[in-house]
Amino acid sequence: MENAVVRRLVLIFAVITFAAAWLVCVPLWSSGQGIASPQLGLIASVMMFTPSLAVLVIWFLTRPRGDRSPRELAAQTGLGLGPQRRRTILVIIGLWVGIPVFVVITTLICAALGLYRLDLVNLSLLAQQHQQLTGQTPNPQMMMLVSIGAVALTPILNAIPSFGEEWGWRGWLYPTLRRFGVWPAILVSGLIWGVWHAPLTLLGYNYALLGPWSALMFVPFCIAFGAVLAWTREFTGSIWPAIAAHGGFNGSTGLVLLLGAAGQEVNFALVGPISVVGILLFAGIAALLFKITSGRTPVTEPAIPGSFVP
């Protein structure tokens, strides 16, 4: 009976997040501008809070009126630093540094495969784009310093919208599915996460050259990257490492453009961290992390009241 209840709750969670995401993105579709809309940044940011909305709805559905303790909700969804705070902080620091390094490594691998041309001296691809936007020729050294500073700060700058997603995906959804096994939980939660992006990816978001096929391409990425984020939840019992990784990743993908040579159109399905190369590397890293830390997983599965049968 409990597993049947869990499946129903996961379905409700998915329906809420999908419906809310599509509702938020209506202006992009109705305007005809798609991802070229000047409202894209704001709309995408608001959309990132729909998984948190689903967490709150599920919580109020499953808890009796007098038993809705915020402290219990925080404990069950990983809002603390976990049972070993030092471990959690070290993982956050490691991800803070490791995510930008991962972006650079995937870009260099793609360049070595002949899929991308580098310009590490003049940073001409970014300079070209900057000149097209502003009409001014930037200084390469200044571009590098500004980019490094921005990347270093992105886990903080992106913490709030990243929280909006991660409280849902790794705070509630992944631990709830974990009773069916770690890898099934990773697969299903990653699949839901990837499909949730459809209001944007069907417009070509993340893979402009693919058009609507972006929606299909982004699902395996969400599963692979989601596996790494699931490991952080397993290993620390906290969602804050996943928030740091998610925020840092969103702010580091621009490094692909920083390192490139002018005169090329970057196909992100083949180049950088969301490419096939990035997907395979994330999947391999996740498998390795789970293997070397097996047996040291303090993740807490949210309690599902057996009396709730929707």
Side-chain angles (χ1 to χ4, degrees), residues 8 16 19 29 39 42 55 74 92 102 115 117 139 142 148 150 164 171 187 192 208 219 233 257 264-265 272 278 303:
R8 293 190 186 103
I16 293 170
W29 288 82
Q39 296 179 307
L42 175 61
V55 171
I92 290 173
F102 178 88
L115 303 171
R117 290 184 289 111
N139 179 280
M142 183 59 67
I148 292 174
L187 180 62
I192 292 173
V219 170
R233 179 75 159 98
L257 300 178
Q264 64 180 321
E265 191 170 22

Side-chain angles (χ1 to χ4, degrees), residues 242-264:
I243 291 169
H246 193 153
F249 185 85
N250 285 354
S252 300
T253 51
L255 290 173
V256 177
L257 300 178
L258 175 71
L259 303 175
Q264 64 180 321

Side-chain angles (χ1 to χ4, degrees), residues 130-220:
H130 181 85
Q131 190 168 25
Q132 290 173 349
L133 290 173
T134 67
Q136 300 177 347
T137 302
N139 179 280
Q141 289 74 28
M142 183 59 67
M143 283 195 304
M144 178 65 78
L145 289 174
V146 170
S147 298
I148 292 174
V151 167
L153 292 174
T154 48
I156 297 175
L157 299 176
N158 291 334
I160 294 177
S162 296
F163 171 87
E165 281 199 51
E166 290 304 324
W167 194 33
W169 307 133
R170 257 59 63 175
W172 187 89
L173 181 60
Y174 170 74
T176 299
L177 288 166
R178 189 178 179 275
R179 69 192 65 230
F180 301 110
V182 169
W183 293 106
I186 288 172
L187 180 62
V188 175
S189 62
L191 177 63
I192 292 173
W193 186 27
V195 174
W196 171 82
H197 285 89
L200 296 177
T201 51
L202 284 172
L203 293 170
Y205 190 73
N206 288 325
Y207 307 98
L209 298 181
L210 296 185
W213 289 103
S214 299
L216 184 61
M217 179 73 190
F218 204 53
V219 170

Side-chain angles (χ1 to χ4, degrees), residues 102 105-107 109-110 113 115 206-207 210 213-214 216-225 249 256 266-285:
F102 178 88
I105 288 174
T106 56
T107 304
I109 290 174
C110 293
L113 294 173
L115 303 171
N206 288 325
Y207 307 98
L210 296 185
W213 289 103
S214 299
L216 184 61
M217 179 73 190
F218 204 53
V219 170
F221 167 77
C222 286
I223 293 173
F225 185 37
F249 185 85
V256 177
V266 181
N267 185 347
F268 286 97
L270 299 175
V271 178
I274 61 175
S275 70
V276 174
V277 171
I279 292 169
L280 292 175
L281 283 178
F282 266 137
I285 290 170

